[in-house]
Amino acid sequence: MDADDAQPDQLEQLRRFVDEWGEVAREVTEVVGDAVGRAYDDPVCLAGAPSEELRLEDLAVTINPAFSKLIVIFAHLTAEVARLHKAADETLFPTLVVFGERPNTDDTLFEGDPQAALAHALTKLQDVVLFLEQLTVVSRNLFAQLAALYGDVQRVYAPLQAVRLSTAFMALGDALGLAAGLDEAVSANHALPSAFAMFRRMLQTVQAAPCRFAVGEGGAELLEAALTTLENRLLSADSFNCTLDQFCRGEPPPQHFLDQLASSAFTSLTDISSRLSTEGERPSDRRNLVAVLSLVALHSRLAPRTPDKKLCKAAWDLHKRVLMMPVSSTVHLQPVEFLCNYLPPSAIALGPKEPLKAAAAVRAEALDKLDGSLMKELNGLLAQGVSWIARLESSLPTKSTNMSAVLGPRVRLLSNGMLVAQRLRNLLQVTIHLHVALEAPISKAQVRVLAQTAELLQAILSAYNRRRSEIVLEAPHLLGFALGRLASLVAPAREMLETAIATGTTGWGRVQDTLAGRGAGADAARQDAVAAASLAERVLSGPPTTQRLMLIRLCFDTLNDAFVLKDTAGADAAELIELTDMIANIDFHADAACDTSFLFFSRELLPSCLKDVYSRPEEAHRLPLLVAAFRASQKMLLRGNAMPELLEGFEEEMQLALDEEVIGPLCTDVETDLRLHIHSARLTGVVDVNPVQTGVRDLSQFLGVPPMRLLTKEVDIRSRVIHYLNSAFHNHTAVSLNNWKTYGEMRNLAMEKYRIPLAEIELPGQTLEQGLDVLEIMRNIHIFVARYNYNLNTQCFIERALNAKDRKHLNTISIRHVANSIRTHGTGITHTTINFVYQYLAQRFQVFSQFLFDDHIKSMLLKESRVFNAAAPTTKPSGRQEGGLGRNRAAAQVETPTPARQQQRYPVERALRFNRDIRKLGVSEDGSSFLDQFRLLITEIGNALGFVRMVRLGAMHYCTNAAKFVPDLSHASPDFEASTSAEGLSDGTVAASRCLDAELASLCSNSAEGTDYFKVLVDVFSTELCSENNAHLKEFYLLLPALTLSAVEFILHSKERLAKRGKEALTAAFTDDGFALGVAYVLRVLQQDVRFNSLNWYESVAEHYAEEMRIQAEASPSSSRWRSSTTGEEEQVNVELRLGRIKGTAAEMVLLKYNLVGARTFFSEAR
């Protein structure tokens, strides 16, 4: 295939690719939309900044070599200053202002954070020092070139000596102002000195033990030396002063240079001042003020004894009109402070008597004036901005054939947008600065207008971005138009000069005298003017790069002072050059004019601004612009090499503000609106909604807001509201199933009224007994046993009412709930449960031992033991040491009481006296004694064992249900793996058979009774607790009579509160069998079952309460002479109440006895 045949195929493939990519791009555009806060950038965009590879030396070639050489030098230096200023804006200023910033949500400064921040920014700070050195070199070179150009020495030919190179002087002032701005940024950052001090202390620690920190030999010393150099050069913040001092050293500069410097500064200051706050203000005017005041400071320092009065007075008067002079988007200088810091005393004397007080008074006056006119002024600018966006978006076609009529308005339109953005941004910054500096409050109305101003800046930038492709495509035509206008100003001057040189007319005299300078030849002077005109025409024929624009400015400086231009041609040329620069670099200038990154330092305004937007649903479209205005700080933070924690914290602050001020209230209000709408339709008279009186808020406006990008996240209000409503409807229906119809209607209404798709409420008509998850209970076993009561007979746990104050129901846990959890997690959680319970019991037994080891408790138990044993001592069994607990379990089981001991009873009176003695030791705030708290400990141990029992039975219940389709688990199941292998089936079938065999074996083992976990838990603690090290536990059984009385009293009070309401009902309960199970377990662990039986406690209790009932019956008035009296009736009621109380206590004691007997069977030897 030859080239001719291949070309159509390649073109066809390219066409298909473009068509397919276009379809995909259109789909993405339709889905994402044109939201301002979109989370993506254009994958393909046009760059309109012109560039060329032609060297400046080759470009500036004229017939006059001396002129060419000088013009190239000044063009190089001015372009270098511009490059340095751009580099400082992009990296250095953000680094200095961001360092030390912390998120508002993080108030704690941990040790090492400042050192880590300084180490993170150390490279950037070194770049600042290197930048200052380079800036000083460029400034000195430019100063030396200008001083040499305007020397007082008479020479035969001195090109450009009679010309005031305003461009070069402004570049020198710009370089000096840049140094002053860096000094101001360092001085304003109070975190830098403390960070350096803390970092130095850290280095001293490293030097003391370098091996601990893996620092090489001499590494810490080198770092300290570099840190010292950096600290001395950076923290001194005197770069501006040092540069001026270098200029003032040596011989004084020529007077001609001083005259040109003063003339250039005064002219620039006058021109800029006349344009400020007018329609003729240029975007660069306010930034140029820093350069002008820097030139004023330079002139005053060069001639400290004879300062230029007119120049100094004009500089001092500037503070009445300008409060802030921007060096960058985040660093500003105050005119009065700047002059007081850098002018010599002779120049300061020309200003106000007390300049700082005068400046403070001017600021206070300006704030009062601003508060009065802010609304009007900003509203006017807002109207201009909105009108400009509408005109830019309209792009109406024109039928005019005059290119000036087409391109001129277009250039003016683009420049007007930049000017409006500059004025809006300046007013926004000044307003915030004055209120912060003077600590003046900002009213809600002002917050609203300020928010709208920030939003309009983002809207202007968005309009530029949306029209970027069109602007870039039409930029060559606009630039050609602007360059043509400049060429039309140069052509008449060149023709005049060439005619004057050719004819030698006398009309050239004034120009000749001006250009000749001090002894310069007239012919050479004529060649300079002609060379400047010809060079300007040559440069204007190419693209408007930075170097070409510098050459054009220098050429127009030459022609302007040659008096060969028309009266207004110089001002027109300056404006056209600035317009050309703006159009050629429109992306850069648009970003700078609309930059709202300074709002990062006033981010406390965001919640108030969001709250204002939410109060007006019809203005919901403002949200993306407002968020984008504060999000613009991301570029500054990234350029400033901010710590990741700061970026994350800033994003969290923005998201929190959105959640609290917009999304959270919106979700609640939407749900409330739906609820009121449904109730007003179903419940007549309950909800009275009158739109005429209460008004109507169309909350659906917020649901139409497109997704908003923060830093790394997207916030979609619509999705958040949908998720909230889905969760709310589901949860409310789950809690109250009888309201499912109401929430279903609310869901349908939301879909109809707000156009949001909600999920179906997929809940069954009845509840599924899933209950609490066993894993969750197991992980929080200590909380579970303290909040639930155990019932031994029904095998369930009931939540205590005290822990369910905010609910109308109590949670219960039964075997079915455990089986459901095991079905989810598998039978393996049974062993995990035992492990958790073992760890919990180990902790509880420590507390148990500490209680019995207490001297008061120990002495009381020993006393009870002596009294009880004195009546009928027991026979000491074989194999036990005198006074010991024994070393083996067999010895404990052979101990039998004597016949005398079998008839002995532990008196109830002693148990009651024991309780009273314990209470004398102290009670807690709720009135419980130490014995009551010990009873709770025993109860919690029993609850833990009850949970073990329930988990085991739940596993058996689950396995039984799972195996209901298996024919017979009692016999060995067939070996499916062997059968399939013998039949020669596939490997997959054999593997499936192996899995089936394993599952059947697991079901068989878990369905059986299996391991006795109670026996395991008894054995694991019994050996240690029955040793000689824990001899203080041997009298535990003597504590049980008092404990049982306390338990019976507690359960009686709990049952009495079942019929009550209020706070008393919170302690109501009808079962607490964990105490009985805990007592049985501890007796078994301590091997004291026989000793407790020897107390014959329950027989003693039965006899005691029988005697009490007999005594009360005999004391009844029914058998006495008081039968007919009123006193007798009251006494009869009291006796009946006491008798009922005794019967209830006796019944509860019998119930406790049966529960204890049943619990002790779990730990019998048969198991």
Side-chain angles (χ1 to χ4, degrees), residues 94 143 152 260 316 374 381 407 491 514 528 534 620 644 679 687 723 857 950 989 1024 1125:
F143 177 81
D152 293 330
Q260 293 288 356
W316 281 110
L374 179 65
L381 288 175
L407 299 178
T514 302
D528 287 348
S534 60
H679 290 344
V687 180
H723 174 73
I857 304 299
M950 183 181 296
T989 305
E1024 176 63 25
S1125 64

Side-chain angles (χ1 to χ4, degrees), residues 354-403:
E354 295 181 346
L356 295 180
K357 290 185 178 180
V362 170
R363 279 197 294 268
E365 182 182 355
L367 179 60
D368 294 338
K369 182 178 179 181
L370 188 62
D371 287 341
S373 62
L374 179 65
M375 307 290 289
K376 180 179 180 181
E377 190 170 357
L378 277 180
N379 285 330
L381 288 175
L382 291 174
Q384 294 181 27
V386 173
S387 174
W388 177 86
I389 293 175
R391 284 185 284 120
L392 181 67
E393 296 285 355
S394 63
S395 299
L396 296 176
T398 179
K399 298 180 180 180
S400 176
T401 57
N402 186 358
M403 295 307 296

Side-chain angles (χ1 to χ4, degrees), residues 670-823:
V670 169
E671 183 185 8
T672 303
D673 177 63
L674 296 174
R675 194 181 303 277
L676 292 178
H677 197 125
I678 294 298
H679 290 344
S680 64
R682 299 183 60 183
L683 304 175
T684 305
V686 175
V687 180
D688 186 12
V689 179
N690 190 342
V692 178
Q693 296 180 356
T694 61
V696 178
R697 298 182 65 206
D698 186 9
L699 299 177
S700 62
Q701 298 291 334
F702 291 102
L703 301 178
V705 174
M708 296 175 292
R709 177 184 176 185
L710 300 182
L711 301 188
T712 60
K713 302 177 183 177
E714 256 193 0
V715 177
D716 188 357
I717 297 180
R718 181 183 178 86
S719 299
R720 293 283 297 275
V721 173
I722 292 174
H723 174 73
Y724 173 84
L725 292 178
N726 283 331
S727 301
F729 293 166
H730 183 277
N731 293 337
H732 292 328
T733 306
V735 172
S736 180
L737 289 174
N738 57 317
N739 289 331
W740 67 270
K741 186 176 181 181
T742 300
Y743 291 108
E745 292 178 353
M746 290 175 63
R747 170 185 172 273
N748 296 332
L749 179 62
M751 298 175 65
E752 179 68 24
K753 185 174 183 180
Y754 293 105
R755 304 295 180 184
I756 51 177
L758 298 180
E760 290 281 352
I761 307 175
E762 298 178 353
L763 287 176
Q766 300 295 329
T767 179
L768 294 175
E769 290 187 332
Q770 181 66 36
L772 296 178
D773 192 5
V774 171
L775 284 180
E776 192 67 26
I777 298 175
M778 182 174 56
R779 295 190 184 101
N780 301 281
I781 185 68
H782 60 290
I783 299 176
F784 174 76
V785 298
R787 294 185 176 182
Y788 282 76
N789 291 330
Y790 178 58
N791 188 278
L792 188 66
N793 300 309
T794 60
Q795 278 297 296
C796 68
F797 281 91
I798 301 97
E799 187 179 17
R800 296 175 184 173
L802 187 62
N803 301 309
K805 298 178 181 178
D806 55 344
R807 300 196 305 269
K808 295 183 179 180
H809 68 280
L810 300 177
N811 291 324
T812 60
I813 306 297
S814 64
I815 295 177
R816 289 190 301 273
H817 299 115
V818 176
N820 290 334
S821 295
I822 293 177
R823 181 178 59 192

